[in-house]
């Protein structure tokens, strides 16, 4: 049986590229584009990053449904590594003309609080803008990490809508 809870969902957009480039806060940081990630690798990172925040949408998909999304040429999966260990990931969805949606963005729990979020979000925004969209957007909700919304705003994203939506948590 699925359990749902209402959560305030905040939609944010960026209408121009960030001016500043954030430097990696620690040594050994790199971001690698995983062009056609193995389903199991994707699921493992999705669970690692999203488990505490009730990310369930992709866990309920069949391998075929998930593959159709993450192996689409207009969807990019980038993995943040610290000294060779996966520390987070982002998924950029370019399937809508003139916009890029940051579909997923997050860090593995043990890498939160080290300044990596600011660095990685800046990297993600710059990567999204390299596609030359008219806007880059994302959404978050109040079930996300408490620093998520403030970090998105500090990175240059601006709120354009808010809604209360029922989220599946179990």
């Amino acid at each position: 049986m699925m359990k749902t809870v209402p959560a305030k969902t905040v939609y944010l957009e960026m209408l121009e590229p960030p001016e500043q480039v954030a430097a990696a806060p620690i040594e050994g940081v790199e971001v690698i584009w995983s062009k056609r990630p193995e389903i199991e690798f994707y699921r493992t990172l999705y669970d690692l990053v999203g488990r505490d925040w009730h990310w369930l949408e992709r866990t309920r998909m069949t391998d075929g449904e998930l593959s159709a999304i993450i192996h689409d040429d207009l969807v990019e999966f980038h993995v943040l590594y610290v000294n060779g260990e996966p520390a987070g990931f982002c998924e950029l969805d370019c399937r809508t003309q003139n916009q890029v949606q940051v579909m997923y963005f997050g860090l593995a729990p043990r890498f939160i609080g080290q300044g990596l979020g600011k660095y990685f979000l800046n990297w993600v925004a710059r990567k999204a803008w390299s596609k030359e969209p008219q806007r880059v957007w994302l959404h978050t909700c109040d079930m996300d990490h408490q620093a998520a919304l403030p970090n998105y705003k500090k990175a240059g994203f601006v709120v354009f809508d808010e809604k209360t939506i029922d989220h599946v948590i179990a």
Side-chain angles (χ1 to χ4, degrees):
M1 184 171 147
M2 292 192 302
K3 180 179 177 184
T4 62
V5 296
K8 183 171 102 176
T9 301
V10 180
Y11 299 84
L12 301 103
E13 66 185 354
M14 186 181 281
L15 299 176
E16 56 188 44
E19 293 179 17
Q20 302 292 336
V21 176
I26 57 177
E27 294 291 318
V29 175
E30 65 180 328
V31 181
I32 298 177
W33 179 12
S34 182
K35 292 183 183 179
R36 290 191 61 84
E38 292 291 328
I39 297 293
E40 192 59 36
F41 178 65
Y42 180 94
R43 288 189 188 283
T44 298
L45 277 179
Y46 183 88
D47 181 62
L48 176 67
V49 170
R51 180 182 324 120
D52 293 342
W53 318 117
H54 304 285
W55 290 9
L56 296 173
E57 180 182 17
R58 298 286 170 88
T59 64
R60 298 181 189 287
M61 292 181 170
T62 66
D63 286 355
E65 291 168 332
L66 182 57
S67 179
I69 295 170
I70 66 172
H71 294 155
D72 188 300
D73 290 339
L74 296 175
V75 174
E76 294 185 8
F77 181 66
H78 297 275
V79 182
L80 174 72
Y81 288 89
V82 175
N83 296 317
E85 182 180 348
F89 79 90
C90 76
E91 184 180 315
L92 300 178
D93 187 336
C94 306
R95 294 178 292 179
T96 301
Q97 188 174 6
N98 296 320
Q99 54 185 314
V100 176
Q101 181 181 4
V102 180
M103 194 69 182
Y104 290 99
F105 170 85
L107 299 177
R110 79 179 207 86
F111 292 99
I112 293 172
Q114 300 176 34
L116 287 164
K118 176 182 177 181
Y119 163 77
F120 191 33
L121 183 56
N122 180 266
W123 186 95
V124 167
R126 296 176 71 73
K127 182 67 174 177
W129 280 103
S130 75
K131 311 293 181 195
E132 300 181 351
Q134 292 176 355
R135 79 174 185 147
V136 174
W137 72 282
L138 54 82
H139 68 274
T140 187
C141 73
D142 56 11
M143 293 189 319
D144 203 349
H145 189 279
Q146 63 192 22
L149 184 58
N151 283 340
Y152 293 141
K153 289 179 176 180
K154 285 180 198 171
F157 286 90
V158 177
V159 174
F160 72 89
D161 197 9
E162 294 181 12
K163 297 176 185 173
T164 298
I165 297 175
D166 285 338
H167 289 265
V168 177
I169 61 167

